[in-house]
Amino acid sequence: MFARRLVQLSSRTAATAAPGARLVRGGHGAPQFNEPGGYLFGRKPGEKYESEGWEVIWIGGFTIAFGLIAVGQIYKPDTRIRTWAREEAERQMREEGDILEYKKTAYKA
């Protein structure tokens, strides 16, 4: 019952719709177009820029967030599997009494 009614409603066209009802699809009239004024951001050269109240808060917030993220990335712990494996291998070698340091030989060309 519901499916049949849904098909009926979806297959309506403008001619079979209720009288006075118009089927309108898409479009919002003529496209809006601002004529170019010849100035970057609409400001004449030499005109002093007056910042709005939210801009200072916005810039300050982004600066603080960027700083916190940068500090967090610098001081984050090293969680790579390769680092863990090296530390584990060095620990096992120390326990077994193996030498971790090797003598450096002088390079002779």
Side-chain angles (χ1 to χ4, degrees):
M1 179 97 171
F2 176 73
R4 185 178 299 151
R5 180 71 178 144
L6 186 63
V7 170
Q8 287 175 352
L9 289 174
S10 65
S11 63
R12 273 190 183 177
T13 62
T16 61
R22 247 180 44 182
L23 189 61
V24 179
R25 296 220 163 111
H28 298 282
Q32 298 293 325
F33 180 71
N34 294 331
E35 287 292 328
Y39 300 112
L40 182 64
F41 304 119
R43 280 189 232 105
K44 296 179 182 173
E47 184 179 307
K48 186 169 176 9
Y49 176 72
E50 295 179 20
S51 65
E52 297 180 18
W54 60 268
E55 291 175 330
V56 175
I57 297 169
W58 185 267
I59 292 170
F62 266 96
T63 303
I64 291 170
F66 180 77
L68 289 174
I69 290 171
V71 168
Q73 288 295 316
I74 290 169
Y75 291 108
K76 73 177 183 177
D78 187 8
T79 58
R80 292 177 292 182
I81 188 72
R82 188 173 186 146
T83 304
W84 172 84
R86 180 180 179 93
E87 291 172 356
E88 186 70 16
E90 288 175 356
R91 184 188 61 78
Q92 288 178 4
M93 288 176 72
R94 270 193 304 275
E95 288 176 356
E96 295 173 2
D98 291 341
I99 300 171
L100 295 177
E101 301 288 327
Y102 294 100
K103 295 179 185 176
K104 293 184 179 179
T105 56
Y107 177 72
K108 297 179 184 176

